[in-house]
Amino acid sequence: MLSKKITASLVGMSAVVGVLAMAPSAQAVDRTCYDGNFCIYKDRDFSTDNSMYRTKIESARWDLDMSSVYENDSSWRNRRAKGSRTFGGRWMTLGTEICIIGGGQVNYYWDANDDGASHRLNESC
């Protein structure tokens, strides 16, 4: 009788181990800047250890549309055909912080760091 209980317990435990082994692992966050996007990174040098935002929206106020990078931008990648421009003001009124030609990127610029509040795409730089 004792050997049947031990066998049943071992079978039950192996079933649990099998379920645990088959459980899916956590998926990594995709922080790739795909073609056609303007990408804003919270950290310099395009670090993917922190927030990153990719957008195709022609113009946006970051305080409303992209709060994770509002005044927290440190590097920029433009995977679009035309220029992309960031501004220090929410209404694109306080002047250009940085303008990146189509296909260009800036890994860090001290004067624009953590100062972006809005952007416009399809601009001339």
Side-chain angles (χ1 to χ4, degrees):
M1 181 79 151
L2 182 59
S3 66
K4 286 184 181 179
K5 286 184 180 180
I6 291 173
T7 303
S9 294
L10 291 174
V11 169
M13 286 174 54
S14 66
V16 169
V17 169
V19 169
L20 290 175
M22 293 172 34
S25 61
Q27 300 249 340
V29 176
D30 180 11
R31 291 197 169 94
T32 305
C33 187
Y34 296 103
D35 285 343
N37 286 284
F38 177 55
C39 301
I40 304 109
Y41 296 79
K42 189 170 183 176
D43 291 338
R44 65 187 298 163
D45 300 319
F46 313 107
S47 172
T48 56
D49 293 336
N50 209 330
S51 298
M52 173 264 202
Y53 197 90
R54 62 178 96 81
T55 184
K56 293 181 180 183
I57 300 171
E58 290 297 315
S59 63
R61 284 182 50 186
W62 294 359
D63 60 331
L64 300 176
D65 302 319
M66 305 183 321
S67 60
S68 64
V69 294
Y70 174 67
E71 294 185 344
N72 281 309
D73 53 329
S74 295
S75 54
W76 309 263
R77 185 171 276 153
N78 186 11
R79 300 290 306 267
R80 301 175 60 81
K82 293 187 177 181
S84 297
R85 186 181 306 263
T86 67
F87 299 89
R90 293 181 221 171
W91 298 103
M92 295 157 241
T93 57
L94 287 183
T96 299
E97 289 292 325
I98 197 160
C99 191
I100 306 168
I101 61 170
Q105 60 187 27
V106 175
N107 66 322
Y108 179 77
Y109 177 53
W110 67 272
D111 197 37
N113 184 54
D114 292 341
D115 206 22
S118 57
H119 76 266
R120 277 199 312 240
L121 306 180
N122 298 322
E123 296 278 303
S124 294
C125 293

